[in-house]
């Protein structure tokens, strides 16, 4: 049996089929854990709720919108300022959050009036913003407030505003994934097709399932624009509400995070016949083939190739500098959903690390299929991990570094396992060619941190070296490196800047003359 | 020109100052040793609160969820609590205390957590865990009432009343710290130890600043034991530093066990610390020692260098937990500053009756507003649209963008302060806190003077 039994979970047999070890010669038919099932109460799982999946993950990265939650204040407060989805309008969506502040009397008598008052107040406070998203919470769902009706009423009274309603209460489904699904479907049902966009290129895409963490979206949009492609909308990072209402006019949906946003792509295909192309902005190889695929679709492969050649020549020597020093290092790849398969193969092939474990908090079996297929033999795959299992796994696997969330990262710190933030990144963006080097650099700095080395010394027992007054990462990493590699003239450390996104925002792009008449508007 | 106390006029909240009750109950829960709380509600109510704690302390704390899903929301979910208790007890053999913390969802559907506790006490605990000490404590903390402050207050009271049991007098005082930082606990313990007073510090979180040790320990937890809680009924007196965070528990002990009780003042600033020491002296009969006279002198010496030279007439806005905000305002007044705007982040209807607020109303001679049920838009809107000019903001990290966008210097204080390193390590209470706060405010103003080239040359000699 490929199933891995955690000692700490022997007393809860329901957990038995949630962890597998990919054995030699085993394929997915025999090594696939159960996934996306209800959480075991009291297990100290790391899962969030459907509300946060809808509002926090997908809704809020939309940049020019008042994001209001209909409920008590906590849902809003707790999901505010915990992510790094930036935008090119001075991060409006990061700065402001809105709660209708439902109180006991509203629970008893209803809160629709309160909601309407809130909507009007918020538009008044921000007169330049004319768009709003409304999120149901557990409380407003259970008392049965008709949020859609209130939104419709306001839109009738205030024709200049537009409001989107997402009914994804926290209890809806086993994890945040339920909310991803609901907001995808709600958006296409309510909003897509409402706006006719200005078409400026022969090649028009929606960029879907991309949340602009530390600027990822802007890095990728830069490539598309260099290819002469119009990115009509991004769902949703750095995305604009009205652009997303025009998604139906794109020629192609380019999908990044299939876990959170494949639903809307599939619906766009069914309703508007727009094809879906899954791409991957992480890793030189995956990114190159993604750009090539997009180029191929439009018959502009040469434009893609030019970018790939230029970027590879610029950044590959830096990536390889790190690869030489990361070879064989053991990684626990413990993100939320899709990064286990985005990263599993790419970090092994291009950075030389060994993925000894993958886990997913809210992924489905499909994510595990892809993740396990792409990680090494012997890797431990865990679905819906809990606190004790994660500890047991770390003690058993003794990874050199772990990629996970902020709070689990603190647990790893105490076990003296360096951690990188897999959701919000340390020094991102991590997408794009340069981004991938930044990721490698963060991994390298994590593993070879001189302070990290000190945490293994027990001054009450160990002999303290009196010769060493300091160490550098390179003094640690290059100990076992051959002279040839250590002093190679072809390789170099990362040479980019701390902040890379502002330059992209100020960039101008070449004009690709269009062959035919473009817009109906 | 006077101090005006009023409610926020808008119905909604734009950028909240406080989160909801379950967060406060969870904060109380992690202050107890051998305790893991179960939050009965959706998973986000726990996951995000754990994240919030880890943002502030850079530590991880254990809290469990009953993981309410759709079926539970429709048909009732008390069986999820039963399962959660069992799973937790099986897998965490050291756990003895389990607060069952309700949320908006499970209060709306009317899940009877008191009934479940009764059922578990008579069933599961007797049958499966006979011989093991387990305390299940229902805590009603619906999110649609009060705030994280009242959630903490309610949980502290419910936990104390669960355990407190009269035995022999133990000669100690009970000390409820309220929602403070590890640095505050260290400062308070220091004052008490200088006075040679034996105190039980309750919901004691000094250990939240936990080290990275050679043997590797994975989670942080508080230090208050079952014994500490039980013995609260045997104390010679109770001091609650904060009125709204632990005050109810102190009141309970007084009502139930006739324990002399002093609630407040929050010992922020020299004067409030003096009163605190005076109260301790009265309660225990122990004198205030020369060492504290000296310590106080050091604080006064530091502050005297700063007051009329730099602090006088500086306009300050303060937001956060009510006790903290009021304490800071009182300290600012002593420092010759003008706290022109106080934002109390929840709708506690007893705030207007708070004698400290009444004293502000009676004595402040400049235009001062105290806004109850306030949000951060009350602050930003005044700056952006109503011409409010400020020299300094005191508050937690959630308001950071006001400081950034309007170029107003800000000292991070309260909870959470995740956008500055290690603030949980520094006290704001006691003489040490007064010194630290005063110097932090001064250095923040100095940096701002230099950054804006606003009489930065003054600092050449002072």
């Amino acid at each position: 049996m490929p199933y891995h039994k955690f000692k700490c979970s022997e007393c809860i047999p329901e957990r038995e089929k949630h962890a597998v070890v990919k054995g030699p010669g085993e394929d997915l038919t025999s090594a696939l854990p159960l996934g996306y099932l209800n959480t075991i109460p009291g297990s100290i799982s790391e899962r969030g709720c459907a509300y946060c999946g809808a509002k926090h993950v997908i809704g809020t990265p939309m940049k020019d919108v008042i994001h209001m939650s209909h409920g008590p204040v906590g849902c809003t407060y707790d999901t505010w300022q915990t992510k790094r989805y930036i935008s090119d309008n001075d991060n409006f969506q990061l700065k402001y959050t809105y709660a209708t502040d439902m109180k006991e009397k509203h629970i008893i008598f209803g809160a629709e009036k309160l909601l309407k008052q809130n909507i009007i107040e918020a538009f008044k406070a921000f007169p330049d913003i004319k768009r709003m998203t409304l999120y149901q919470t557990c409380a407003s769902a259970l008392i049965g407030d008709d949020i859609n009706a209130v939104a419709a009423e306001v839109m009738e009274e205030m024709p200049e505003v537009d409001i989107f309603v997402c009914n994804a209460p926290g209890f809806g489904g086993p994890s945040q994934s339920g909310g991803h699904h609901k907001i995808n479907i709600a958006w296409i049902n309510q909003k897509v097709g409402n706006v006719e966009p200005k078409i400026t290129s022969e090649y028009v895409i929606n960029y879907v399932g991309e949340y602009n963490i530390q600027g990822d979206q802007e890095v990728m949009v830069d490539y598309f624009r260099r290819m002469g492609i119009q990115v009509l909308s991004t769902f949703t990072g750095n995305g604009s509400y009205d652009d997303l209402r025009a998604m139906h006019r794109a020629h192609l949906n380019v999908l990044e995070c299939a876990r959170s946003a494949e639903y809307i792509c599939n619906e766009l295909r069914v309703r508007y016949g727009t094809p879906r192309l899954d791409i991957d902005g992480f890793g030189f190889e995956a990114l190159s083939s993604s750009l090539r695929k997009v180029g191929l679709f439009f018959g502009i492969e040469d434009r893609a190739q030019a970018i790939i050649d230029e970027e590879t020549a610029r950044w590959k020597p830096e990536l390889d500098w790190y690869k030489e020093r990361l070879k064989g290092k053991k990684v626990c790849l413990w993100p939320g959903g899709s990064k286990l398969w985005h990263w599993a193969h790419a970090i092994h092939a291009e950075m030389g690390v060994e993925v000894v474990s993958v886990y997913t908090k809210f992924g489905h079996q499909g994510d595990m299929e892809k993740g396990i297929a792409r990680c090494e033999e012997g890797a431990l795959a865990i679905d819906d991990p809990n606190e004790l299992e994660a500890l047991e796994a770390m003690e058993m696997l003794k990874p050199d570094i772990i990629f996970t969330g902020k709070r689990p990262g603190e647990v790893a710190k105490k076990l003296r396992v360096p951690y990188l933030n897999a959701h919000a990144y340390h020094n991102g963006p991590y997408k794009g060619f340069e981004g991938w080097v930044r990721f490698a650099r963060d991994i390298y700095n994590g593993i070879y941190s001189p302070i990290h080395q000190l945490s293994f010394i027990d001054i009450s027992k160990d002999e303290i070296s009196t010769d060493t007054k300091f160490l550098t990462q390179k003094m640690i990493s290059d100990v076992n490196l051959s002279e040839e590699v250590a002093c190679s003239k072809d390789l170099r450390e990362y040479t980019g800047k701390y902040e890379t996104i502002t330059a992209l925002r100020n960039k101008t792009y070449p004009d690709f003359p269009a062959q035919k008449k473009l817009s109906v508007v | 020109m006077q101090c005006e106390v009023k409610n926020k006029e808008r119905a909604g909240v734009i950028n909240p100052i406080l989160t909801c009750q379950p967060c406060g109950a969870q904060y109380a829960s992690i202050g107890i040793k051998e305790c893991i709380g179960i939050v009965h509600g959706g998973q986000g109510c726990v996951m995000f609160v754990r994240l919030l704690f880890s943002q502030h302390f850079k530590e991880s704390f254990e809290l469990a969820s009953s993981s309410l899903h759709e079926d539970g929301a429709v048909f009732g979910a008390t069986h999820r609590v039963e399962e959660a208790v069992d799973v937790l007890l099986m897998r965490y053999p050291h756990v003895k205390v389990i607060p069952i913390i309700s949320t908006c969802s499970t209060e709306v559907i009317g899940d009877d957590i008191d009934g479940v506790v009764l059922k578990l006490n008579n069933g599961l605990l007797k049958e499966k865990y006979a011989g093991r000490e387990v305390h299940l404590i229902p805590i009603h903390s619906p999110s649609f009432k009060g705030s994280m402050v009242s959630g903490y207050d309610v949980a502290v009271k419910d936990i104390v009343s669960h355990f407190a049991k009269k035995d022999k007098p133990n000669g100690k005082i009970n000390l409820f710290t309220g929602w403070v930082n590890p640095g505050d606990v260290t400062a308070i313990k220091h004052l008490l130890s200088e006075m040679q007073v034996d105190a039980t510090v309750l919901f004691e979180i000094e250990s939240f600043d936990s080290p990275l040790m050679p043997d590797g320990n994975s989670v942080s937890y508080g230090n208050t034991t079952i014994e500490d809680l039980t013995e609260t009924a045997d104390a010679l007196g109770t001091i609650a530093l904060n009125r709204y965070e632990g005050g109810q528990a102190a009141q309970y002990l007084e009502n139930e066990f006739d324990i002399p009780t002093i609630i407040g003042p929050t010992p922020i600033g020299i004067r409030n610390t003096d009163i605190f020491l005076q109260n301790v002296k009265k309660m225990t009969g122990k004198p205030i020692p020369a060492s504290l006279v000296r310590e106080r002198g050091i604080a006064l010496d530091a502050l005297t260098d700063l007051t009329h030279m730099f602090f006088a007439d500086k306009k300050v806005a303060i937001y956060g937990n009510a006790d903290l905000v009021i304490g800071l305002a009182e300290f600012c007044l002593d420092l010759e500053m003008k706290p022109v705007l106080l934002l109390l982040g929840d709708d506690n209807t007893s705030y207007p009756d708070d004698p400290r607020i009444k004293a502000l109303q009676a004595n402040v001679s400049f235009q001062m507003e105290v806004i109850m049920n306030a949000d951060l838009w009350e602050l930003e809107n005044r700056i952006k649209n109503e011409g409010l000019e400020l020299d300094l903001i005191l508050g937690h990290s959630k308001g950071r963008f006001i400081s950034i966008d309007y170029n107003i210097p800000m000292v991070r204080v309260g909870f959470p302060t995740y956008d500055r390193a290690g603030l949980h390590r520094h006290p704001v209470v006691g003489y040490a806190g007064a010194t630290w706060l005063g110097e932090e405010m001064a250095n923040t103003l100095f940096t701002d003077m230099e950054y804006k080239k606003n009489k930065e040359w003054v600092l050449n000699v002072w």
Side-chain angles (χ1 to χ4, degrees), chain A residues 166-441:
Chain A
C166 177
N167 293 315
F171 54 73
S175 70
Q176 42 270 65
S177 186
H180 302 155
H181 182 219
K182 288 198 174 91
I183 193 170
N184 269 253
I185 301 304
W187 186 264
I188 190 159
N189 282 348
Q190 287 174 47
K191 296 301 167 197
V192 175
N194 285 355
V195 158
E196 286 305 323
K198 187 167 188 287
I199 299 298
T200 58
S201 165
E202 288 171 283
Y203 318 113
V204 184
I205 64 168
N206 295 312
Y207 188 24
V208 183
E210 163 56 56
Y211 305 104
N212 202 30
I213 305 297
Q214 294 209 24
D216 274 356
Q217 183 257 11
E218 294 172 77
V219 168
M220 294 295 288
V221 167
D222 172 61
Y223 299 140
F224 296 136
R225 291 177 71 181
R226 281 154 72 182
M227 289 167 71
I229 293 169
Q230 179 187 1
V231 180
L232 189 61
S233 73
T234 302
F235 189 89
T236 53
N238 198 29
S240 171
Y241 185 102
D242 280 359
D243 291 347
L244 284 159
R245 294 164 80 188
M247 288 180 94
H248 60 296
R249 289 297 179 204
H251 307 138
L252 179 68
N253 289 311
V254 173
L255 175 62
E256 189 88 43
C257 175
R259 173 69 284 122
S260 62
E262 68 171 351
Y263 317 103
I264 196 163
C265 285
N266 294 347
E267 286 302 311
L268 286 163
R269 183 170 54 200
V270 171
R271 299 184 197 190
Y272 300 99
T274 325
R276 154 185 165 175
L277 180 69
D278 289 33
I279 68 149
D280 196 334
F282 295 115
F284 280 42
E285 192 193 316
L287 173 55
S288 299
S289 85
S290 295
L291 294 177
R292 256 183 234 117
K293 279 196 289 185
V294 175
L296 199 62
F297 180 86
F298 290 118
I300 48 173
E301 220 183 332
D302 52 328
R303 295 184 194 172
Q305 196 57 48
I307 293 169
I308 295 162
D309 293 344
E310 184 190 331
E311 296 283 334
T312 306
R314 170 68 183 87
W315 298 110
K316 188 75 173 13
E318 301 188 7
L319 181 66
D320 288 344
W321 190 94
Y322 293 102
K323 183 181 181 180
E324 290 294 345
R325 288 157 177 85
L326 294 176
K327 267 183 196 159
K329 291 293 170 189
K330 291 191 286 182
V331 170
C332 282
L333 176 47
W334 289 355
S338 69
K339 286 198 189 83
L340 75 130
W341 47 265
H342 275 300
W343 287 355
H345 172 69
I347 54 178
H348 177 64
E350 300 185 7
M351 299 179 193
V353 299
E354 304 293 325
V355 177
V356 294
S357 178
V358 290
Y359 85 29
T360 175
K361 293 192 253 190
F362 56 81
H364 299 205
Q365 275 194 312
D367 300 287
M368 269 298 189
E369 270 184 54
K370 288 192 267 187
I372 293 170
R374 291 174 195 187
C375 67
E376 281 65 72
E377 268 181 10
L380 170 63
I382 318 166
D383 167 69
D384 179 23
N386 56 61
E387 189 90 351
L388 288 178
E389 290 176 0
L391 281 170
E392 195 176 315
M394 276 192 276
E395 265 153 25
M396 178 178 82
L397 300 166
K398 305 211 179 317
D400 295 294
I401 194 161
I402 167 173
F403 306 153
T404 189
K406 152 88 195 136
R407 201 227 11 104
E410 300 295 344
V411 179
K413 176 177 80 180
K414 288 287 162 41
L415 294 178
R416 289 158 302 164
V417 179
Y419 116 94
L420 288 189
N421 193 322
H423 311 306
Y425 313 153
H426 269 50
N427 291 290
Y430 286 169
K431 276 184 185 161
F433 295 91
E434 182 178 0
W436 200 239
V437 178
R438 292 170 78 90
F439 186 21
R441 189 262 314 250

Side-chain angles (χ1 to χ4, degrees), chain B residues 5 13 30 35 48 74 95 105-106 128 157 183 190 204 242 259 275 279 290 293 299 313 370 394 459:
Chain B
V5 180
V13 170
I30 59 174
C35 168
F48 281 101
V74 176
V95 164
S105 56
T106 50
K128 193 169 171 184
K157 190 231 154 196
H190 165 72
E204 203 265 74
N242 287 333
I259 296 182
I275 298 172
N279 288 339
V293 176
D313 294 331
V370 181
L394 301 178
L459 297 169

Side-chain angles (χ1 to χ4, degrees), chain A residues 39 80-81 96 121 414 416, chain B residues 11 59 214 217 380 398 418:
Chain A
T39 318
W80 174 43
Q81 291 192 10
Y96 299 101
E121 278 175 7
K414 288 287 162 41
R416 289 158 302 164
Chain B
E59 304 284 349
N217 63 332
E380 182 167 349
K398 292 274 182 183
Y418 46 75

Side-chain angles (χ1 to χ4, degrees), chain B residues 16-85:
Chain B
I17 291 173
L18 303 174
T19 185
C20 59
Q21 287 210 112
C23 171
Q26 290 174 73
Y27 195 64
S29 167
I30 59 174
I32 303 171
K33 219 172 184 170
E34 296 168 334
C35 168
I36 297 179
I38 294 172
V39 180
H40 186 32
Q43 293 167 150
C45 308
V46 179
M47 191 207 99
F48 281 101
V49 169
R50 294 181 79 198
L51 175 60
L52 182 67
F53 293 158
S54 83
Q55 279 180 284
H56 177 78
F57 293 107
K58 317 294 182 214
E59 304 284 349
S60 176
F61 299 91
E62 284 170 335
L63 287 155
S65 173
S66 66
S67 297
L68 181 75
H69 297 320
E70 227 141 18
D71 52 343
V74 176
F75 301 112
T78 49
H79 63 286
R80 305 282 294 178
V81 177
E82 294 177 40
E83 198 181 339
V85 169

Side-chain angles (χ1 to χ4, degrees), chain A residues 321 325 444-445 447-450 453 465 467-481 486 493:
Chain A
W321 190 94
R325 288 157 177 85
Y444 171 82
N445 285 342
I447 291 177
Y448 295 109
S449 150
Q453 303 275 313
S465 156
D467 299 335
T468 313
K469 307 294 195 302
F470 68 88
L471 285 176
T472 65
Q473 297 100 301
K474 208 157 174 289
M475 285 163 74
I476 305 169
S477 69
D478 287 9
V479 169
N480 297 320
L481 230 49
E493 286 179 73

